[in-house]
Amino acid sequence: GASANRIIRLNADGIRDDSFLTGTGFSGVITDIALQSENKIVLAGGGGKYKGDTCSYPVARLHINGDIDTTFKATKPSDISASSLYRADMIVVQPSGKVVVKGEFYTSGFRVYLFRLDINGKYDDSFQTMGISASWVERLETLVTNTKGEIIVGGNRLFSYDRRTHI
């Protein structure tokens, strides 16, 4: 069969959909996938290139045919330096189309962040998570939203609550 690099789409019968053209695919891991309206595919992962070109990955968006959506320019919170290790682990799309991202970042130590991107990928500074901090071992493990847009997070340890703006 034909090879694929980290992403394919299957038809409802389980057969590979050859109309989903991913070329050389992604150079980094894909950790989560969510759908926005109009079947736009939002991806989370560890960074890299798609079809050989650098994209806004570790959060990127594809069109229904597998092409990168160049109108989606994912940005990150300003307190995460450009030189930090940046990995998005989970994403969930709210009914408004905004994308909630759980990520791990390394600057002087690992931090876990929960932040939101507008429908076009721009960092949404109006999203206030009230600072539930989670260290490397006290990680967020799951994330879901309901039809009202409320977000439920869960993890493997207790969370500390200190009213900062990121989890």
Side-chain angles (χ1 to χ4, degrees):
S3 64
N5 204 4
R6 298 184 174 89
I7 187 169
I8 63 171
R9 183 171 59 204
L10 303 176
N11 291 314
D13 62 4
I15 296 172
R16 182 178 177 169
D17 179 354
D18 291 326
S19 70
F20 187 66
L21 304 174
T22 61
T24 58
F26 280 96
S27 62
V29 66
I30 296 172
T31 56
D32 203 3
I33 300 172
L35 292 178
Q36 279 183 316
S37 63
E38 299 174 12
N39 289 319
K40 300 244 180 170
I41 303 158
V42 183
L43 305 164
K49 295 183 175 194
Y50 181 63
K51 294 185 178 181
D53 294 324
T54 302
C55 62
S56 63
Y57 194 60
V59 180
R61 186 168 68 191
L62 304 179
H63 291 291
I64 193 168
N65 66 357
D67 287 342
I68 195 78
D69 183 349
T70 57
T71 66
F72 186 84
K73 304 284 187 192
T75 57
K76 58 188 175 184
S78 60
D79 60 338
I80 300 173
S81 71
S83 63
S84 66
L85 172 65
Y86 173 30
R87 175 183 164 123
D89 293 319
M90 286 181 260
I91 50 176
V92 65
V93 176
Q94 294 180 295
S96 64
K98 293 184 177 189
V99 180
V100 179
V101 179
K102 180 264 185 176
E104 295 171 354
F105 309 91
Y106 187 85
T107 50
S108 59
F110 276 99
R111 281 195 55 132
V112 176
Y113 279 80
L114 185 70
F115 60 95
R116 185 170 64 191
L117 302 174
D118 286 330
I119 197 163
N120 63 0
K122 184 177 181 249
Y123 174 68
D124 179 2
D125 60 7
S126 72
F127 182 68
Q128 301 294 312
T129 59
M130 301 306 288
I132 302 170
S133 67
S135 72
W136 179 241
V137 294
E138 297 174 326
R139 292 179 24 183
L140 296 173
E141 298 291 341
T142 188
L143 170 67
V144 68
T145 186
N146 63 20
T147 57
K148 292 193 231 173
E150 298 167 330
I151 302 154
I152 303 159
V153 298
N156 64 0
R157 301 273 172 123
L158 295 175
F159 296 109
S160 64
Y161 180 83
D162 66 5
R163 294 194 180 270
R164 287 181 297 212
T165 59
H166 305 290
I167 288 181

